[in-house]
Amino acid sequence: MCSSDLLLAVIPAVAVISGGAKLGADSAAIFVLLWVLKLATHAPGVELIWRVAHNERNALSAVLVLFVIVLLSAATLIHFAEGPTQPDDFGSIPSSLWWAIVTFTTTGYGDVVPKTPVGRMLGGVVMVSGICVMALLAGILATGFSEEVKRREFVKVWELVARVPFFADVGAIAISDIVARLRSRNYPAGAVVVRRGGPGDSMFFIVAGEVEVRIGQEPIVLRDGAFFGEMALLDRRPRSADIVTVTPCTMLVLNVADFYQIAGQQPSLIAAIEAEAKRRHAVNVASREGSRT
């Protein structure tokens, strides 16, 4: 426990002894709130929110300015429209701001409502404007979160790609195109990654771990840096073997649509995959013939 946590834990007890139960209870509630806020600063999601807000600060600032302009305009107009008939609620622009905020955010408490036709028309315009601004704000934040998550996933996959020897001779530009299409997956030991007869919809690159290709009498073990599943993509046929993880594995997955897109953009990479597939097929055929003899 760090010194700040210890201080937050001790102060409520001291308050109870020195100031009585009520003061101690109030102080304890305050320090519990401070402790929760301190924990919130260490939550991973808070850092992500901060990053998104920082990246989208220009767009968020523009929305905030628009928000303030609409609020002040609505408060001013409703003051002139409703002030003469409802001086207690709309007698000044500051008092009209409460109605403007509640209406603009479409909360609608109903404690303060316009009664004149002009005021009600203005209320409808403010509500529609609030929906548009909130939708714009939600779109900016959703886009920011999506881009930040993609950026982090890109960095994570790039680090995994760097550990696969097959990509060692591929240029940075080609790798960046491949990384954007790969997805990382983790499998526990004993998991069935591919089933015989299943559709050939993806291929796999092993970053760490071992898998067992169960074809024929003797299974084939593939380790770090190997890949599998390319035969079904190249031949456009169902899976020919069961593939099961021997140890916990981290893999990179390339689906069939991205595979053929890369085939058109990076023919050298696909040629290397085809060469390895042919070599592996020749070894399998030789091993089968040897077992028969």
Short mmCIF file of all heavy atoms in Angstrom, two decimals, residues 98-144:
data_model
loop_
_atom_site.label_atom_id
_atom_site.label_comp_id
_atom_site.label_asym_id
_atom_site.label_seq_id
_atom_site.Cartn_x
_atom_site.Cartn_y
_atom_site.Cartn_z
N TRP A 98 -31.26 27.22 -17.71
CA TRP A 98 -31.66 25.89 -17.21
C TRP A 98 -32.61 25.21 -18.19
O TRP A 98 -32.44 24.05 -18.53
CB TRP A 98 -32.32 26.04 -15.85
CG TRP A 98 -32.97 24.76 -15.37
CD1 TRP A 98 -34.29 24.53 -15.23
CD2 TRP A 98 -32.31 23.55 -15.00
NE1 TRP A 98 -34.53 23.24 -14.79
CE2 TRP A 98 -33.31 22.62 -14.63
CE3 TRP A 98 -30.98 23.16 -14.92
CZ2 TRP A 98 -33.03 21.34 -14.21
CZ3 TRP A 98 -30.69 21.87 -14.50
CH2 TRP A 98 -31.70 20.97 -14.15
N TRP A 99 -33.61 25.96 -18.66
CA TRP A 99 -34.53 25.39 -19.65
C TRP A 99 -33.80 25.03 -20.93
O TRP A 99 -34.05 23.98 -21.54
CB TRP A 99 -35.63 26.40 -19.97
CG TRP A 99 -36.51 25.95 -21.11
CD1 TRP A 99 -37.60 25.17 -21.05
CD2 TRP A 99 -36.32 26.26 -22.50
NE1 TRP A 99 -38.13 24.95 -22.30
CE2 TRP A 99 -37.35 25.61 -23.22
CE3 TRP A 99 -35.38 27.02 -23.21
CZ2 TRP A 99 -37.47 25.70 -24.60
CZ3 TRP A 99 -35.50 27.11 -24.58
CH2 TRP A 99 -36.53 26.46 -25.27
N ALA A 100 -32.84 25.88 -21.36
CA ALA A 100 -32.11 25.63 -22.59
C ALA A 100 -31.29 24.35 -22.49
O ALA A 100 -31.27 23.53 -23.42
CB ALA A 100 -31.20 26.82 -22.91
N ILE A 101 -30.64 24.13 -21.34
CA ILE A 101 -29.82 22.92 -21.16
C ILE A 101 -30.70 21.67 -21.14
O ILE A 101 -30.41 20.66 -21.80
CB ILE A 101 -28.99 23.03 -19.87
CG1 ILE A 101 -27.96 24.15 -19.99
CG2 ILE A 101 -28.30 21.71 -19.55
CD1 ILE A 101 -27.21 24.43 -18.71
N VAL A 102 -31.80 21.72 -20.37
CA VAL A 102 -32.67 20.56 -20.26
C VAL A 102 -33.30 20.22 -21.61
O VAL A 102 -33.43 19.04 -21.98
CB VAL A 102 -33.76 20.83 -19.21
CG1 VAL A 102 -34.82 19.74 -19.22
CG2 VAL A 102 -33.14 20.94 -17.82
N THR A 103 -33.68 21.24 -22.36
CA THR A 103 -34.32 21.01 -23.66
C THR A 103 -33.29 20.58 -24.71
O THR A 103 -33.55 19.67 -25.51
CB THR A 103 -35.04 22.28 -24.13
OG1 THR A 103 -35.94 22.71 -23.11
CG2 THR A 103 -35.81 22.03 -25.41
N PHE A 104 -32.13 21.22 -24.70
CA PHE A 104 -31.11 20.92 -25.71
C PHE A 104 -30.62 19.49 -25.58
O PHE A 104 -30.34 18.82 -26.58
CB PHE A 104 -29.96 21.91 -25.58
CG PHE A 104 -28.94 21.80 -26.66
CD1 PHE A 104 -29.20 22.29 -27.94
CD2 PHE A 104 -27.70 21.22 -26.43
CE1 PHE A 104 -28.27 22.19 -28.95
CE2 PHE A 104 -26.76 21.12 -27.44
CZ PHE A 104 -27.05 21.61 -28.69
N THR A 105 -30.50 19.00 -24.36
CA THR A 105 -30.04 17.62 -24.14
C THR A 105 -31.20 16.63 -24.21
O THR A 105 -31.00 15.43 -23.97
CB THR A 105 -29.37 17.50 -22.76
OG1 THR A 105 -30.29 17.93 -21.74
CG2 THR A 105 -28.12 18.36 -22.69
N THR A 106 -32.40 17.10 -24.54
CA THR A 106 -33.62 16.29 -24.66
C THR A 106 -33.92 15.52 -23.37
O THR A 106 -34.51 14.44 -23.41
CB THR A 106 -33.54 15.31 -25.85
OG1 THR A 106 -32.52 14.34 -25.59
CG2 THR A 106 -33.26 16.02 -27.15
N THR A 107 -33.50 16.08 -22.22
CA THR A 107 -33.83 15.45 -20.93
C THR A 107 -35.30 15.66 -20.60
O THR A 107 -36.00 14.73 -20.21
CB THR A 107 -32.94 16.03 -19.83
OG1 THR A 107 -31.57 15.87 -20.20
CG2 THR A 107 -33.20 15.34 -18.50
N GLY A 108 -35.76 16.92 -20.71
CA GLY A 108 -37.17 17.23 -20.54
C GLY A 108 -37.73 16.95 -19.17
O GLY A 108 -38.62 16.11 -19.01
N TYR A 109 -37.22 17.61 -18.13
CA TYR A 109 -37.77 17.42 -16.79
C TYR A 109 -39.21 17.91 -16.68
O TYR A 109 -40.00 17.39 -15.89
CB TYR A 109 -36.91 18.16 -15.75
CG TYR A 109 -35.58 17.50 -15.51
CD1 TYR A 109 -34.40 18.21 -15.64
CD2 TYR A 109 -35.51 16.15 -15.14
CE1 TYR A 109 -33.17 17.60 -15.41
CE2 TYR A 109 -34.30 15.54 -14.90
CZ TYR A 109 -33.13 16.28 -15.04
OH TYR A 109 -31.94 15.67 -14.82
N GLY A 110 -39.56 18.93 -17.44
CA GLY A 110 -40.92 19.45 -17.40
C GLY A 110 -41.19 20.42 -16.28
O GLY A 110 -42.33 20.85 -16.09
N ASP A 111 -40.16 20.79 -15.49
CA ASP A 111 -40.37 21.75 -14.41
C ASP A 111 -40.53 23.18 -14.93
O ASP A 111 -41.20 24.01 -14.31
CB ASP A 111 -39.21 21.70 -13.41
CG ASP A 111 -37.86 21.89 -14.09
OD1 ASP A 111 -37.78 21.73 -15.32
OD2 ASP A 111 -36.88 22.19 -13.38
N VAL A 112 -39.91 23.45 -16.10
CA VAL A 112 -40.03 24.76 -16.73
C VAL A 112 -40.38 24.51 -18.20
O VAL A 112 -39.62 23.87 -18.91
CB VAL A 112 -38.72 25.57 -16.62
CG1 VAL A 112 -38.89 26.93 -17.28
CG2 VAL A 112 -38.32 25.74 -15.16
N VAL A 113 -41.52 25.01 -18.64
CA VAL A 113 -41.96 24.78 -20.01
C VAL A 113 -42.47 26.08 -20.62
O VAL A 113 -43.05 26.92 -19.92
CB VAL A 113 -43.07 23.71 -20.08
CG1 VAL A 113 -42.55 22.36 -19.64
CG2 VAL A 113 -44.26 24.12 -19.23
N PRO A 114 -42.24 26.29 -21.91
CA PRO A 114 -42.80 27.47 -22.57
C PRO A 114 -44.30 27.31 -22.77
O PRO A 114 -44.80 26.20 -22.99
CB PRO A 114 -42.05 27.52 -23.90
CG PRO A 114 -41.65 26.12 -24.16
CD PRO A 114 -41.40 25.50 -22.82
N LYS A 115 -45.01 28.44 -22.73
CA LYS A 115 -46.46 28.42 -22.86
C LYS A 115 -46.95 29.17 -24.08
O LYS A 115 -48.07 28.92 -24.54
CB LYS A 115 -47.10 28.98 -21.59
CG LYS A 115 -46.84 28.15 -20.35
CD LYS A 115 -47.50 28.76 -19.13
CE LYS A 115 -47.23 27.89 -17.89
NZ LYS A 115 -47.86 28.46 -16.66
N THR A 116 -46.14 30.07 -24.61
CA THR A 116 -46.56 30.82 -25.79
C THR A 116 -46.27 30.02 -27.05
O THR A 116 -45.37 29.14 -27.05
CB THR A 116 -45.81 32.17 -25.86
OG1 THR A 116 -44.41 31.91 -26.03
CG2 THR A 116 -46.01 32.96 -24.59
N PRO A 117 -46.99 30.25 -28.13
CA PRO A 117 -46.73 29.53 -29.39
C PRO A 117 -45.29 29.72 -29.88
O PRO A 117 -44.66 28.76 -30.35
CB PRO A 117 -47.74 30.14 -30.37
CG PRO A 117 -48.85 30.64 -29.50
CD PRO A 117 -48.20 31.12 -28.23
N VAL A 118 -44.77 30.93 -29.77
CA VAL A 118 -43.39 31.19 -30.22
C VAL A 118 -42.40 30.39 -29.36
O VAL A 118 -41.44 29.80 -29.86
CB VAL A 118 -43.08 32.69 -30.17
CG1 VAL A 118 -41.60 32.94 -30.52
CG2 VAL A 118 -43.98 33.46 -31.12
N GLY A 119 -42.66 30.38 -28.04
CA GLY A 119 -41.76 29.64 -27.14
C GLY A 119 -41.78 28.15 -27.42
O GLY A 119 -40.74 27.48 -27.37
N ARG A 120 -42.95 27.60 -27.73
CA ARG A 120 -43.03 26.17 -28.01
C ARG A 120 -42.36 25.82 -29.34
O ARG A 120 -41.73 24.77 -29.47
CB ARG A 120 -44.49 25.73 -28.01
CG ARG A 120 -45.11 25.79 -26.63
CD ARG A 120 -46.55 25.32 -26.62
NE ARG A 120 -47.09 25.31 -25.27
CZ ARG A 120 -48.33 24.93 -24.94
NH1 ARG A 120 -49.15 24.53 -25.92
NH2 ARG A 120 -48.73 24.96 -23.69
N MET A 121 -42.52 26.68 -30.33
CA MET A 121 -41.82 26.46 -31.60
C MET A 121 -40.31 26.49 -31.39
O MET A 121 -39.57 25.66 -31.93
CB MET A 121 -42.24 27.52 -32.61
CG MET A 121 -43.68 27.37 -33.12
SD MET A 121 -44.14 28.67 -34.27
CE MET A 121 -42.93 28.38 -35.57
N LEU A 122 -39.86 27.45 -30.58
CA LEU A 122 -38.43 27.53 -30.28
C LEU A 122 -37.96 26.27 -29.54
O LEU A 122 -36.87 25.76 -29.81
CB LEU A 122 -38.15 28.77 -29.44
CG LEU A 122 -36.71 28.98 -28.99
CD1 LEU A 122 -35.80 29.12 -30.20
CD2 LEU A 122 -36.60 30.20 -28.09
N GLY A 123 -38.81 25.77 -28.63
CA GLY A 123 -38.45 24.54 -27.92
C GLY A 123 -38.28 23.36 -28.86
O GLY A 123 -37.35 22.55 -28.71
N GLY A 124 -39.15 23.23 -29.85
CA GLY A 124 -39.01 22.16 -30.83
C GLY A 124 -37.72 22.27 -31.62
O GLY A 124 -37.03 21.27 -31.86
N VAL A 125 -37.38 23.51 -32.02
CA VAL A 125 -36.13 23.71 -32.78
C VAL A 125 -34.92 23.36 -31.92
O VAL A 125 -33.97 22.72 -32.39
CB VAL A 125 -36.04 25.17 -33.28
CG1 VAL A 125 -34.68 25.44 -33.89
CG2 VAL A 125 -37.15 25.46 -34.28
N VAL A 126 -34.96 23.76 -30.65
CA VAL A 126 -33.82 23.46 -29.75
C VAL A 126 -33.69 21.97 -29.54
O VAL A 126 -32.56 21.42 -29.52
CB VAL A 126 -34.01 24.19 -28.41
CG1 VAL A 126 -32.94 23.76 -27.40
CG2 VAL A 126 -33.94 25.70 -28.61
N MET A 127 -34.80 21.24 -29.40
CA MET A 127 -34.72 19.79 -29.21
C MET A 127 -34.12 19.09 -30.43
O MET A 127 -33.26 18.21 -30.30
CB MET A 127 -36.12 19.23 -28.90
CG MET A 127 -36.56 19.47 -27.48
SD MET A 127 -38.12 18.65 -27.09
CE MET A 127 -39.28 19.83 -27.80
N VAL A 128 -34.56 19.48 -31.62
CA VAL A 128 -34.02 18.88 -32.84
C VAL A 128 -32.54 19.22 -32.98
O VAL A 128 -31.72 18.37 -33.37
CB VAL A 128 -34.82 19.36 -34.07
CG1 VAL A 128 -34.16 18.88 -35.36
CG2 VAL A 128 -36.25 18.87 -34.00
N SER A 129 -32.17 20.46 -32.64
CA SER A 129 -30.76 20.86 -32.70
C SER A 129 -29.92 20.04 -31.72
O SER A 129 -28.80 19.64 -32.03
CB SER A 129 -30.62 22.35 -32.40
OG SER A 129 -31.35 23.13 -33.32
N GLY A 130 -30.50 19.79 -30.54
CA GLY A 130 -29.78 18.98 -29.55
C GLY A 130 -29.53 17.57 -30.04
O GLY A 130 -28.45 17.01 -29.84
N ILE A 131 -30.54 16.97 -30.68
CA ILE A 131 -30.36 15.62 -31.23
C ILE A 131 -29.24 15.60 -32.26
O ILE A 131 -28.39 14.70 -32.27
CB ILE A 131 -31.68 15.12 -31.84
CG1 ILE A 131 -32.73 14.92 -30.74
CG2 ILE A 131 -31.46 13.82 -32.61
CD1 ILE A 131 -34.10 14.56 -31.27
N CYS A 132 -29.21 16.61 -33.13
CA CYS A 132 -28.18 16.67 -34.18
C CYS A 132 -26.79 16.84 -33.58
O CYS A 132 -25.84 16.15 -33.99
CB CYS A 132 -28.49 17.82 -35.14
SG CYS A 132 -30.01 17.62 -36.09
N VAL A 133 -26.66 17.73 -32.60
CA VAL A 133 -25.34 17.97 -31.99
C VAL A 133 -24.88 16.74 -31.22
O VAL A 133 -23.71 16.35 -31.28
CB VAL A 133 -25.39 19.22 -31.09
CG1 VAL A 133 -24.08 19.37 -30.33
CG2 VAL A 133 -25.65 20.46 -31.93
N MET A 134 -25.79 16.10 -30.47
CA MET A 134 -25.40 14.90 -29.72
C MET A 134 -25.02 13.77 -30.66
O MET A 134 -24.10 12.99 -30.38
CB MET A 134 -26.55 14.47 -28.80
CG MET A 134 -26.83 15.44 -27.68
SD MET A 134 -25.37 15.72 -26.64
CE MET A 134 -26.00 17.00 -25.55
N ALA A 135 -25.73 13.65 -31.78
CA ALA A 135 -25.36 12.63 -32.76
C ALA A 135 -23.98 12.91 -33.35
O ALA A 135 -23.19 11.98 -33.57
CB ALA A 135 -26.41 12.57 -33.87
N LEU A 136 -23.71 14.19 -33.60
CA LEU A 136 -22.40 14.56 -34.11
C LEU A 136 -21.31 14.24 -33.10
O LEU A 136 -20.25 13.68 -33.45
CB LEU A 136 -22.38 16.05 -34.44
CG LEU A 136 -21.06 16.63 -34.96
CD1 LEU A 136 -20.65 15.96 -36.26
CD2 LEU A 136 -21.19 18.14 -35.16
N LEU A 137 -21.57 14.53 -31.82
CA LEU A 137 -20.61 14.22 -30.77
C LEU A 137 -20.39 12.72 -30.65
O LEU A 137 -19.24 12.24 -30.53
CB LEU A 137 -21.10 14.80 -29.45
CG LEU A 137 -20.25 14.51 -28.21
CD1 LEU A 137 -18.87 15.14 -28.38
CD2 LEU A 137 -20.93 15.05 -26.96
N ALA A 138 -21.48 11.94 -30.70
CA ALA A 138 -21.35 10.48 -30.61
C ALA A 138 -20.56 9.93 -31.79
O ALA A 138 -19.75 9.00 -31.64
CB ALA A 138 -22.73 9.84 -30.55
N GLY A 139 -20.79 10.49 -32.98
CA GLY A 139 -20.05 10.02 -34.16
C GLY A 139 -18.56 10.31 -34.05
O GLY A 139 -17.73 9.46 -34.41
N ILE A 140 -18.21 11.48 -33.53
CA ILE A 140 -16.79 11.82 -33.36
C ILE A 140 -16.12 10.88 -32.37
O ILE A 140 -15.03 10.36 -32.61
CB ILE A 140 -16.66 13.29 -32.91
CG1 ILE A 140 -17.10 14.23 -34.02
CG2 ILE A 140 -15.22 13.60 -32.49
CD1 ILE A 140 -17.18 15.68 -33.61
N LEU A 141 -16.79 10.64 -31.24
CA LEU A 141 -16.21 9.76 -30.23
C LEU A 141 -16.13 8.32 -30.72
O LEU A 141 -15.13 7.62 -30.48
CB LEU A 141 -17.04 9.83 -28.94
CG LEU A 141 -16.99 11.16 -28.19
CD1 LEU A 141 -17.93 11.13 -26.99
CD2 LEU A 141 -15.57 11.48 -27.75
N ALA A 142 -17.17 7.84 -31.42
CA ALA A 142 -17.14 6.47 -31.94
C ALA A 142 -16.02 6.29 -32.95
O ALA A 142 -15.30 5.28 -32.92
CB ALA A 142 -18.49 6.14 -32.57
N THR A 143 -15.84 7.27 -33.83
CA THR A 143 -14.75 7.20 -34.80
C THR A 143 -13.40 7.23 -34.11
O THR A 143 -12.48 6.49 -34.48
CB THR A 143 -14.86 8.37 -35.80
OG1 THR A 143 -16.13 8.32 -36.45
CG2 THR A 143 -13.76 8.29 -36.84
N GLY A 144 -13.28 8.08 -33.10
CA GLY A 144 -12.02 8.16 -32.36
C GLY A 144 -11.68 6.87 -31.66
O GLY A 144 -10.53 6.41 -31.69
#
